[in-house]
Amino acid sequence: MELRKLQRVVIDALEDVKAVDIRVFDTSKLTDLFDRVIIATGNSNRQTRSLAFSVSTSVKDKGGNVISIEGLDTGEWVLVDCGDIVVHILQPAIRAYYQLEGMWGGKPVRVKLSAKSGPTSGPMNFSDDLDDE
């Protein structure tokens, strides 16, 4: 699946289950393993698991591959590996503690988020254009 399409599928799946503070980072210059990291917050174990299942189901339904899902047992930090995109779904305390944005946040990608996806700590009316690709 083409990267932009996969990115949109993942974001839409996260928004469908009310993920909070969705962030997308371009990691293509940092690693050859994947091109994007998407970080989102779920407010409970149940919601983080539901977010992971939503991403997995949506990606598979659109013809993409889900390599693995890790962390479903506790639901505090769930990782969904979609090949070119790795999705981290964390509860607020875990996200605040690990600060993944500092690790992967060198190159944020501008994406359009739904107004109903909840509060974010950045502007929400971005274009779908990928910067400097």
Side-chain angles (χ1 to χ4, degrees):
M1 181 183 299
E2 193 262 326
L3 183 61
R4 281 189 204 214
K5 183 177 179 185
L6 179 58
Q7 179 176 290
R8 186 79 258 157
V9 168
V10 170
I11 291 168
D12 289 346
L14 290 169
E15 289 182 328
D16 285 347
V17 186
K18 310 289 189 244
V20 179
D21 200 12
I22 300 168
R23 298 298 180 102
V24 181
F25 298 100
D26 182 348
T27 59
S28 59
K29 304 272 192 287
L30 301 174
T31 180
D32 292 332
L33 299 175
F34 43 86
D35 293 323
R36 296 283 184 275
V37 167
I38 298 178
I39 303 170
T41 299
N43 291 314
S44 68
N45 295 3
R46 181 175 290 190
Q47 186 184 21
T48 57
R49 289 182 189 120
S50 294
L51 287 162
F53 284 123
S54 177
V55 168
S56 175
T57 301
S58 294
V59 168
K60 288 176 183 176
D61 287 350
K62 300 291 185 183
N65 294 321
V66 174
I67 297 168
S68 70
I69 301 175
E70 304 293 330
L72 288 174
D73 50 337
T74 65
E76 293 178 346
W77 179 351
V78 182
L79 183 141
V80 183
D81 185 347
C82 301
D84 289 336
I85 295 179
V86 174
V87 184
H88 294 272
I89 305 164
L90 303 96
Q91 289 186 17
I94 302 296
R95 186 168 179 176
Y97 182 78
Y98 284 101
Q99 293 291 313
L100 295 180
E101 289 87 346
M103 179 186 302
W104 299 115
K107 180 86 169 134
V109 175
R110 298 176 156 251
V111 295
K112 186 177 223 170
L113 297 177
S114 161
K116 61 185 175 183
S117 68
T120 66
S121 55
M124 292 178 55
N125 50 347
F126 290 146
S127 70
D128 280 329
D129 295 333
L130 301 176
D131 296 336
D132 302 325
E133 286 203 283

